[in-house]
Amino acid sequence: MHLGFEWGPGDLLVYETNYKLQGSPLVHVVRKDEDICSPILRKLFNESHLIFVGLQKIKEDVPSKNKKSQFVSISKNYRSVIRACMEELQQNAGKHSPDTHRTRRGGCSRSVSILLAIELIWNLCEVLFIDAAPAGSLLLHLLDWVRLHKSDVDARAREVLQSESPAQHQSYWDVVISLVLQGRMDEARQVLSKQASLRAESSSVFKRMDVLLQTMPIFNPTGTQTLTEFDVKWRHWHEECDRCLQDNTFASNRHLETIVKILVGDEDTILEQKELLSTWYHFLVTRLLFTHPTIKPPDLHYYAQSSMNMFLGPRAPPEPLDIILLSAFEFDLHQVIKDCSIALNNWWFVAHLTDLLDHCKLLQSHNLHFGSNLREFLVLEYASGLFTHHSLWQLAVDYFDHCPEFGRVYLELQIERIPLDTERKAIKVLRICEDRQMSEQVRSICKIMAKRALRNNRLGSALSWSIRAKDAAFATLISERFLQDYCNKGSFTDLDLLDNLGPAMLLSDRLTFLGKYREFHRLYGENRFSEAAKLLLSLMTAKIAPRGLWMTLLTDALPLLEQKEVKTRTTHALHSHFTVVKKLDEDIESTKTELLRLALARNLAMAIVKEGTIET
Amino acid sequence: MFVAKSIAADHKDLIHDVSYDFHGRRMATCSSDQSVKVWDKGDDGEWHCTASWKTHSGSVWRVTWAHPEFGQVLASCSFDRTAAVWEEIVGESNDKQRGQSHWIKRTTLVDSRTSVTDVKFAPKHMGLMLTTCSADGVVRIYEAPDVMNLSQWSLQHEISCKLSCSCISWNPSSSRAHPPMIAVGSDDSNVTYSGKVQIYEYNENTRKYAKAETLMTVTDPVHDIAFAPNLGRSFHVLAIATKDVRIFKLLPMRRESANSSGPTKFEVQVMAQFDSHNSQVWRVSWNITSTLLASSGDDGCVRLWKANYMDNWKCTGILRGDGSPVNGSSGHAAALSAVGIPGAAQMVVGAASAGRYFFPHLDSPRAGSRLAHLLPPPSLIEQIYEPDPSHAPQLRQRHAANSIIQPAEHD
């Protein structure tokens, strides 16, 4: 058996075309498992679009120092959109009853876990690459990062503190230690005080721990303290903790003993808290907090690698997320982007992150003909994905606009495929093309619409679309249809359009004639006979009237000939035309001919008499 | 990739071709049952057959849509040695009520004395032109001088290719820099005739098509051929379905003198060559922006190929049609059976995604849990990736030279 296939917009049609057919052949609609169609992620796409457009507008002339804070705030905006989207997803997941929409709930939590991973990676990239925090601040940022992504500590702390006797709660010590592991010393002290008040006999020990926790130096990047001063202070505190450990100060309480071991940075003890740390990168940050609080960015990768190995052990292989984070700790940007584009099933993340990093001038450009650089390659992929969606495609236009190399040609190829279901949609697409001087696409859209209108016998619409398309041949054709209709019915349709053609009527001779001929009818209707006659005459003498219509024109002239104001010259001209018509078309109905001849003669006589009278 | 739905095409014999219209809202199918069917996508996203009629007195090989600027027009070609042009007419009101449309034959092109193997409309900027190729080795180019009268077609050019022709592809480039260009593939099985792909170019001076290039390296039968959209580049890209999938780059060479009237000469380079089908390849086709190439072969698979921004090509997806179970395809089976088509269960189109990992379901989206388990089960990876490790963009082989995005030098 083999398969045939056909590309469609956003999907692939696959059909069996084997030599032996069993039953009726099937055509399968195959989609890529991208998240474009997820209604929940639409919010993410919509809101990040605004941030993206804002980012592109950041001017080059802003001093680079101010720019950095701008970039950090844009990065935070992106993350808050991810967060908002995640929260909405979680709420939605909670709303459904357990039995219904199992698949949908599954999809929800799958999306949540993807968003969580995305936000985690993004946040780390923000700390390491965009904010590029120096030694000292670096650890503070990493602590924030861990706290944000391991927020169940707060829930458990609340649960413990709100229970009847917090100190007796089974999670009590877990909470204390978790807070210490995250460097949240004040909160740890607060929880610890519950225990201290109960145990009067060991209050001095608790007091000692309280002092240790309270005096732990925290680097203040905005203060006047230098990093060296901080380091001296921290070492002093560290020695103090170590002394307590050596003195067996806390030997009476194994929990306090554990805490003090953590404080001195005992790796085995910290590693024993695997359950509470839950991830190797939490372990990494805790380890740094109590051993190297002044860690410099270039040293990070060594600790990251060893923390991961220590935490995961030799048996568990690292997962893609681990490897992405490790690459980030190694400051290997391209690897992060590469691994993310493989691991995530949408281009949203890599496109937006790479774009931001590129604006921060963090990517070397790889000028290759296919996708001028990494940023453009990824943005093009993301925007092309949006184009397969029935409404999100409008966002994609702005993304293409900001791809200098291939954005334009991608937009041209994609936008002409947008189904023009309604006139409104066609006008929307048309505007986008007109704004970008995409004249070929403009012409094509108008032509498609004109053709469709004609097929459905909507002449007015067909004419106005072909005028927009500046399609002279088609305008001629439709004008002829109008005139034909007039000959058959004796009246015009779409008067609004015909009366307001303006300079557009110059597109083709036939259209000019149609416009002018309609004008003649209007003048006639307004009893402006002299002007009407003049116009009719000029139509005949300018020879833009189709020959087949000359007879009709002359018939139209009949009533005019009876009018008093018409001049001899006019009559003469009409008469000469009549002669031509008669010569050309021998089989003109004789009654009509006679009628015309009579009318012309009468008019001539009248005009001569009248003109003669005035002269004398 | 996954099978979103399956449509019972209701043809009484094999389907040979399925063709989307320009906007992707309609499709046409043709079959050995000598009929063509037109399907319209409803507002509900479902496909409804709106017309089905007998078109030829033999198997219908190909069906293709004209650009919507020319109205609703189809062309078909058949074993019965003819090609035909069909136009949809706005029917009676009761036709519309029944959701049926009416297609009438505008012309039958009877110049071929053998089976007409392919039919394609030329790029729209050339006007309404139709090209056929036939087993007797002749490419014919017809033109409808009056686009309002599709019953008049004049034979403008006859190109004798000497070899039995199986497929044609117009270069879609509408740039003024390139004259009209057409590639012709031959399925002649005699390997002693080399050069199964010929490229013809229109010459303004002689007003004739002249051979510009023969791809001498293609010696096996060719079953499909496809030019990629030009994207404003200085060269052309051509995909070929032969015993393998090949992508050629055609670089126009500078003319020796400005007024030389001969056809453009090209420097031909192979951009990529994939033998993963390990069998005859039947179809190749580009997506709209030519970022993806799809191919199908006798191995019963559709494969997707993608170039990264460094122009490295690799497989990014495989779709199996042999019914062999593919991990993670249970959902697809459900999708098929949900449509309620008899025989669907046996005909599961296994779909696997490569280069994209599945995220397993996480029960608790708590922030504290492992955030995401990004690696799919190992069995899936084995099925997804090519056996050649250099093709596999696996995370574990972090520094594989051939990876999607090249690792950068450290600053």
Side-chain angles (χ1 to χ4, degrees), chain B residues 289-315:
Chain B
T289 47
S290 71
T291 51
L292 276 170
L293 177 74
S295 65
S296 71
D298 266 339
D299 61 345
C301 289
V302 174
R303 288 165 197 270
L304 300 186
W305 310 94
K306 183 167 182 59
N308 70 358
Y309 78 111
M310 306 276 287
D311 241 357
N312 289 331
W313 288 83
K314 64 168 66 78
C315 182

Side-chain angles (χ1 to χ4, degrees), chain A residues 355-522:
Chain A
D355 173 58
L356 179 56
L357 294 173
D358 190 40
H359 276 90
C360 301
K361 303 266 182 282
L362 287 165
L363 300 171
Q364 307 110 296
S365 59
H366 285 237
N367 280 313
L368 287 137
H369 67 268
F370 201 96
S372 59
N373 57 37
L374 181 60
R375 171 199 169 269
E376 175 153 328
F377 178 83
L378 296 169
V379 174
L380 287 173
E381 285 292 342
Y382 172 65
S384 299
L386 289 180
F387 244 102
T388 63
H389 190 275
H390 63 87
S391 66
L392 290 174
W393 64 268
Q394 295 169 76
L395 304 179
V397 174
D398 287 320
Y399 286 90
F400 282 140
D401 281 348
H402 291 103
C403 292
E405 189 78 26
F406 286 107
R408 166 91 180 194
V409 63
Y410 269 58
L411 180 60
E412 286 174 357
L413 287 169
Q414 294 279 7
I415 202 153
E416 60 182 12
R417 302 280 176 159
I418 296 291
L420 308 167
D421 305 317
T422 57
E423 295 239 340
R424 232 183 103 208
K425 193 163 176 196
I427 285 164
K428 194 185 260 178
V429 176
L430 198 65
R431 242 181 235 140
I432 290 169
C433 296
E434 281 172 346
D435 289 347
R436 286 158 186 80
Q437 280 93 44
M438 290 161 56
S439 51
E440 173 48 30
Q441 281 68 27
V442 167
R443 195 199 58 76
S444 187
I445 291 165
C446 295
K447 192 148 186 193
I448 291 169
M449 294 307 287
K451 180 83 191 177
R452 190 188 297 170
L454 183 68
R455 252 165 60 82
N456 294 316
N457 256 322
R458 289 183 289 117
L459 286 186
S461 171
L463 183 59
S464 61
W465 279 111
S466 57
I467 288 170
R468 266 187 113 146
K470 296 191 177 61
D471 185 342
F474 211 66
T476 299
L477 194 128
I478 297 163
S479 305
E480 244 152 41
R481 287 281 292 273
F482 264 106
L483 294 169
Q484 214 174 4
D485 273 13
Y486 169 74
C487 290
N488 296 340
K489 294 179 203 152
S491 65
F492 282 111
T493 54
D494 300 285
L495 294 180
D496 268 0
L497 176 67
L498 295 183
D499 287 345
N500 296 296
L501 282 172
M505 72 167 72
L506 299 174
L507 181 61
S508 91
D509 279 358
R510 200 54 44 86
L511 181 60
T512 315
F513 174 74
L514 174 66
K516 289 290 172 192
Y517 189 48
R518 163 59 202 154
E519 196 180 325
F520 158 75
H521 278 264
R522 198 165 45 88

Side-chain angles (χ1 to χ4, degrees), chain B residues 324-385:
Chain B
S324 72
V326 174
N327 265 9
S329 69
S330 56
H332 315 139
L336 285 184
S337 57
V339 191
I341 295 161
Q346 301 99 279
M347 269 310 307
V348 173
V349 174
S353 156
R356 288 279 189 262
Y357 290 92
F358 295 106
F359 284 78
H361 170 73
L362 282 185
D363 283 321
S364 147
R366 250 183 338 118
S369 60
R370 286 301 314 237
L371 287 166
H373 305 273
L374 290 101
L375 203 71
S379 55
L380 191 60
I381 299 179
E382 279 162 25
Q383 280 178 344
I384 289 166
Y385 293 117

Side-chain angles (χ1 to χ4, degrees), chain A residues 158-312:
Chain A
R158 216 174 303 126
E159 191 194 319
V160 167
L161 289 174
Q162 284 168 359
S163 67
E164 276 183 27
S165 50
Q168 306 300 315
H169 197 281
Q170 55 172 358
S171 301
Y172 177 81
W173 284 107
D174 282 353
V175 166
V176 177
I177 292 172
S178 292
L179 290 170
V180 171
L181 290 170
Q182 291 194 357
R184 296 157 70 169
M185 300 313 179
D186 288 342
E187 290 160 87
R189 286 171 56 215
Q190 198 195 336
V191 181
L192 212 52
S193 67
K194 302 280 173 192
Q195 190 81 304
S197 57
L198 276 180
R199 302 195 186 186
E201 78 281 1
S202 56
S203 64
S204 65
V205 184
F206 276 92
K207 191 108 197 247
R208 188 89 184 87
M209 177 54 76
D210 191 59
V211 169
L212 282 183
L213 294 177
Q214 191 186 7
T215 53
M216 179 177 179
I218 303 290
F219 181 69
N220 179 7
T222 54
T224 49
Q225 186 187 39
T226 65
L227 198 62
T228 329
E229 285 165 358
F230 165 74
D231 196 41
V232 170
K233 227 176 145 189
W234 184 83
R235 275 172 204 287
H236 185 74
W237 172 81
H238 193 261
E239 279 160 22
E240 186 67 27
C241 295
D242 204 35
R243 205 171 302 129
C244 288
L245 188 63
Q246 302 304 328
D247 295 351
N248 287 325
T249 310
F250 302 107
S252 60
N253 186 317
R254 67 181 171 91
H255 297 298
L256 295 181
E257 179 89 355
T258 304
I259 291 172
V260 79
K261 278 183 176 172
I262 293 170
L263 294 185
V264 298
D266 183 88
E267 283 175 352
D268 292 333
T269 310
I270 298 174
L271 207 52
E272 277 164 24
Q273 315 303 319
K274 243 185 189 176
E275 286 289 307
L276 299 178
L277 292 165
S278 81
T279 60
W280 65 267
Y281 42 88
H282 192 336
F283 170 61
L284 163 71
V285 175
T286 302
R287 188 181 162 204
L288 291 173
L289 175 66
F290 297 112
T291 57
H292 296 277
T294 56
I295 180 87
K296 293 187 196 76
D299 301 332
L300 208 47
H301 79 270
Y302 161 74
Y303 288 99
Q305 181 78 57
S306 67
S307 297
M308 189 174 89
N309 293 345
M310 285 163 77
F311 193 86
L312 296 179

